[in-house]
Amino acid sequence: MKKVFFTGILLLCIAVNVTANEVIKLTTGEWAPYTIEKDQKGGVLQKIVSESLKQEQIDVEYIFYSWKKAYKLAKEVEVDGTIPWFKTPEREIDFLYSKNAILRTKTVFFHLKSLDFKWKAYEDLKNYNLGETLGFKTAKILDEKGLKVQLAESEKENFKKLLTGEIEVTSASQLVGYNIIKNNFSPKDALKFTNHPKKVYPGTGIYFLVSKKHPRAQELVDKFDKGLNKLIRSGRYLQLVKSATSK
């Protein structure tokens, strides 16, 4: 009787192992409300990526680093992939991008209300003291345009520099920028910030990336795209996006 019992338990354990989801590791950085390290449920992008891959029997473990390190570790296949990244020609050399964007954002320039900030073309920015975040797309664009830019390790650092007058203008996703202002400044100081309505650049999609060196790069990207499409069709995707933007 005991033999039959233990045999049954063994078979049950084998069945559980066979059906258990695969676990992959993705690097990311703090970019609230899109990616959040200290929130157990994660930011909206983490939720979208996790639920998309779960549709394909894959679970995700997120590891937070500086953006520069997150990118490097994924590039060298120390992890399985990384989120979330805008498209650039340099990144496309090293990574496969998901076919579909995880989400689309609007990147704008932030400044203090006391600054008479006007811009229509990048050339207009020569009149201002600019600050950007190391490794971010806007920093690269402004550098290519020949503009002098102070680089910081984080967007939060740039917003603090705005307030102290060390810089006059910095860019951020509109939602991220106001999240930083709300959570890091007093109500009195928060009222001093504003943004210009013009987009910094037209391309707003942020993507799931897997290094071309990864032996399963195309497979993982394809599974994400397939799972994301399922999430969109089910209505769950829209639900997640609305829950993030309505806060």
Side-chain angles (χ1 to χ4, degrees), residues 156-189:
K156 182 169 71 174
E157 185 179 340
N158 280 321
F159 277 83
K160 289 181 178 180
K161 286 183 176 182
L162 282 179
L163 193 61
T164 61
E166 293 177 68
I167 61 173
E168 294 177 300
V169 179
T170 191
S171 73
S173 159
Q174 193 166 24
L175 192 58
V176 171
Y178 282 108
N179 185 272
I180 291 172
I181 293 166
K182 177 183 176 182
N183 294 314
N184 293 279
F185 299 96
S186 68
K188 181 180 178 181
D189 284 339

Side-chain angles (χ1 to χ4, degrees), residues 1 7 17 33 42-43 58 63 98 111 126 129-130 133 160 163 173 197-198 209 227 238 242:
M1 182 66 180
T7 300
N17 287 332
I58 297 174
I63 310 172
S98 54
H111 59 91
K126 291 180 180 179
N129 189 6
L130 308 172
T133 307
K160 289 181 178 180
L163 193 61
S173 159
K198 178 179 168 63
L209 275 63
L238 185 58
K242 284 184 175 180

Side-chain angles (χ1 to χ4, degrees), residues 21-28 35 40-42 45-64 79-83 102 208-210 220 223-224:
N21 285 0
E22 174 189 1
V23 179
I24 65 171
K25 294 182 178 181
L26 302 180
T27 56
T28 189
T35 54
Q40 189 174 4
K41 295 180 179 179
L45 291 181
Q46 290 165 268
K47 293 173 184 176
I48 290 171
V49 171
S50 293
E51 293 195 26
S52 295
L53 287 168
K54 191 175 284 290
Q55 298 284 334
E56 301 302 308
Q57 291 72 55
I58 297 174
D59 291 331
V60 181
E61 177 185 341
Y62 294 99
I63 310 172
F64 282 75
V79 292
D80 296 294
T82 183
I83 65 162
I102 308 168
F208 170 78
L209 275 63
V210 180
L220 291 175
K223 284 191 173 183
F224 170 75

Side-chain angles (χ1 to χ4, degrees), residues 82-213:
T82 183
I83 65 162
W85 298 89
F86 293 101
K87 279 189 177 182
T88 67
E90 292 77 17
R91 291 172 189 161
E92 289 184 283
I93 292 172
D94 299 314
F95 288 89
L96 291 182
Y97 278 74
S98 54
K99 182 178 179 181
N100 299 312
I102 308 168
L103 196 67
R104 296 196 176 275
T105 69
K106 179 181 179 181
T107 299
V108 295
F109 283 120
F110 283 84
H111 59 91
L112 297 184
K113 291 177 181 177
S114 57
L115 177 69
D116 184 22
F117 176 60
K118 298 176 181 178
W119 85 287
K120 291 184 179 180
Y122 289 114
E123 185 176 299
D124 300 330
L125 299 174
K126 291 180 180 179
N127 301 319
Y128 303 99
N129 189 6
L130 308 172
E132 289 298 332
T133 307
L134 188 66
F136 276 31
K137 182 175 179 177
T138 307
K140 178 71 174 175
I141 291 173
L142 298 183
D143 181 64
E144 291 174 348
K145 299 295 181 181
L147 295 166
K148 186 178 179 180
V149 180
Q150 289 187 39
L151 294 177
E153 288 290 333
S154 69
E155 289 173 297
K156 182 169 71 174
E157 185 179 340
N158 280 321
F159 277 83
K160 289 181 178 180
K161 286 183 176 182
L162 282 179
L163 193 61
T164 61
E166 293 177 68
I167 61 173
E168 294 177 300
V169 179
T170 191
S171 73
S173 159
Q174 193 166 24
L175 192 58
V176 171
Y178 282 108
N179 185 272
I180 291 172
I181 293 166
K182 177 183 176 182
N183 294 314
N184 293 279
F185 299 96
S186 68
K188 181 180 178 181
D189 284 339
L191 290 173
K192 297 177 182 179
F193 295 92
T194 190
N195 73 276
H196 193 282
K198 178 179 168 63
K199 291 181 182 179
V200 176
Y201 45 80
T204 58
I206 39 182
Y207 295 82
F208 170 78
L209 275 63
V210 180
S211 173
K212 290 181 179 179
K213 296 179 183 178

